[in-house]
């Protein structure tokens, strides 16, 4: 059962913990759409790595209350609230896909508490200077963002209909990712265990409404509320070169914008390979904090 943490404005946030209870705390921020039950390393892997993995439903997803008009920056305050409730002082943060910009928000806005941050298959900010934002992006994602830019009502109407279809047949959403994605994405989806985790993730994310999904897309289509250039904590930017959901140019832009970021572009892989790269990223994330904790 999730732990319910209450934000200062009264919103409920649904939180899960996995791995080693006294391990190095790492927040994992889920994709879009997604939930606290999104794919993550097995408990024994987390325990072996000494990781206390903390996940939560972003506002409007799963069991977390909606936050009207939220921005990408808004999530940093929720992470701080959860950390306070769990008596966690400093922590690392990793975000995957739609979670990656929110992870970068923690690095920018909580520099005294965020030790390291990893952004896996991230998008760049709306209006990123010098970036052709839609270049290489699959048609359905381009349309989704264009609808969001046209107005909240249109985005809500379109995504509510999609969410209803996913609730009726969540595996169809997973399979559609394979149809639109690369050969590498299809290989990931062919893994029965990962596909089952993805189905559970989408089912929980949209159990009540499409609100979280709508608000994510609107946040990505607006100003983030911070400039990645202010980030000073150690940052890893990882991307699969063949990604068509969040094209690799976005991470290349972020790598140039964030001072001293480590950029890893992997050949022959794509968007969903971020699911399998996480166990290799965790040791890097916990290095500094694990050393400080003795």
């Amino acid at each position: 059962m999730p732990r319910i943490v209450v934000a200062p404005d009264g919103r409920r946030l649904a939180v899960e913990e996995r791995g080693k209870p006294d391990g190095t705390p790492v927040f994992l921020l889920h994709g879009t759409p997604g939930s606290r039950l999104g794919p993550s390393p097995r408990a024994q892997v987390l325990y072996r790595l000494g990781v206390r993995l903390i996940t939560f439903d972003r506002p409007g997803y799963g069991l977390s209350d909606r936050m009207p008009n939220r921005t990408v920056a808004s999530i940093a305050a929720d992470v701080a609230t959860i950390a306070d409730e769990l008596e966690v002082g400093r922590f690392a943060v990793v975000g995957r896909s739609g979670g990656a910009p929110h992870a970068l928000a923690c690095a920018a806005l909580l520099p005294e508490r965020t030790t390291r941050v990893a952004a896996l298959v991230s998008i760049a900010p709306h209006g990123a200077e010098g970036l052709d934002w839609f270049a290489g992006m699959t048609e359905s994602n381009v349309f989704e963002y264009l609808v969001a830019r046209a107005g909240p009502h249109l985005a809500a109407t379109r995504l509510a209909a999609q969410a209803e279809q996913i609730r009726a047949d969540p595996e169809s959403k997973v399979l559609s990712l394979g149809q639109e994605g690369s050969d590498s994405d299809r290989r990931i989806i062919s893994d029965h265990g990962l596909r089952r985790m993805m189905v559970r993730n989408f089912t929980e994310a949209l159990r009540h409404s499409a609100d979280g999904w709508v608000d994510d897309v609107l946040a990505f289509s607006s100003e983030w509320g911070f400039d990645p250039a202010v980030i000073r904590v150690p940052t890893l930017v990882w991307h699969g070169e063949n990604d068509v959901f969040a094209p690799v140019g976005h991470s290349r832009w972020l790598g140039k914008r964030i001072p001293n970021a480590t950029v890893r572009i992997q050949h022959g892989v794509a968007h969903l390979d971020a699911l399998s790269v996480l166990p290799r990223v965790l040791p890097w994330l916990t290095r500094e904090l694990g050393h400080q904790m003795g």
Side-chain angles (χ1 to χ4, degrees):
M1 288 294 293
R3 177 171 182 166
I4 301 299
V5 173
V6 180
D9 60 3
R11 287 179 297 109
R12 296 168 299 170
L13 297 165
V15 181
E16 295 270 355
E17 292 190 70
R18 304 182 188 90
K20 192 174 183 181
D22 61 347
T24 305
V26 177
F27 277 86
L28 169 60
L29 307 188
H30 63 72
T32 301
S35 75
R36 69 190 188 282
L37 303 182
S40 65
R42 297 181 185 277
Q44 57 265 39
V45 173
L46 295 171
Y47 200 91
R48 175 170 51 80
L49 293 173
V51 171
R52 176 187 180 186
L53 194 72
I54 304 164
T55 63
F56 70 100
D57 295 334
R58 273 197 299 282
Y61 285 118
L63 297 175
S64 288
D65 293 332
R66 190 178 197 179
M67 177 196 295
N69 304 312
R70 65 173 165 88
T71 64
V72 172
S74 303
I75 300 305
D78 282 350
V79 168
T81 294
I82 293 167
D84 289 344
E85 180 70 18
L86 301 182
E87 299 183 343
V88 170
R90 304 187 75 209
F91 45 79
V93 186
V94 55
R96 183 174 56 225
S97 189
H102 298 97
L104 294 174
C106 295
L109 303 174
L110 303 172
E112 72 288 350
R113 302 187 71 172
T114 304
T115 57
R116 291 186 170 214
V117 64
L120 313 181
V121 295
S122 184
I123 57 170
H126 167 74
E129 186 177 356
L131 175 67
D132 185 349
W133 211 86
F134 292 118
M137 186 179 290
T138 186
E139 185 178 325
S140 65
N141 275 21
V142 171
F143 185 68
E144 188 171 290
Y145 287 120
L146 289 176
V147 167
R149 293 178 184 186
H153 178 71
L154 287 175
T157 301
R158 180 173 189 268
L159 294 179
Q162 286 194 43
E164 188 174 345
Q165 293 173 355
I166 293 169
R167 279 192 292 272
D169 183 9
E171 190 157 7
S172 67
K173 171 64 175 176
V174 178
L175 295 175
S176 73
L177 295 175
Q179 291 166 359
E180 291 187 79
S182 69
D183 290 342
S184 180
D185 291 321
R186 284 185 282 277
R187 185 180 68 248
I188 295 292
I189 288 173
S190 70
D191 182 291
H192 178 71
L194 273 174
R195 191 166 67 247
R196 190 174 61 217
M197 281 193 286
M198 293 170 72
V199 167
R200 182 181 67 164
N201 178 39
F202 292 138
T203 300
E204 181 63 17
L206 305 171
R207 64 185 296 173
H208 294 304
S209 73
D211 289 347
W213 193 0
V214 172
D215 293 343
D216 266 1
V217 174
L218 292 175
F220 298 147
S221 303
S222 308
E223 295 297 324
W224 279 10
F226 68 94
D227 185 343
V230 307
I231 294 173
R232 293 295 182 270
V233 306
T235 302
L236 173 65
V237 178
W238 182 94
H239 220 112
E241 190 176 48
N242 299 335
D243 195 338
V244 296
F245 297 104
V248 67
H250 288 241
S251 277
R252 289 196 172 110
W253 187 94
L254 287 167
K256 293 176 182 176
R257 188 71 176 172
I258 300 169
N260 302 314
T262 299
V263 181
R264 293 283 182 265
I265 307 300
Q266 191 167 337
H267 303 297
V269 299
H271 194 76
L272 297 182
D273 288 274
L275 301 176
S276 55
V277 80
L278 182 58
R280 305 201 302 272
V281 171
L282 286 172
W284 180 86
L285 279 167
T286 59
R287 191 178 304 156
E288 180 182 339
L289 190 55
H291 175 74
Q292 291 172 356
M293 295 173 72

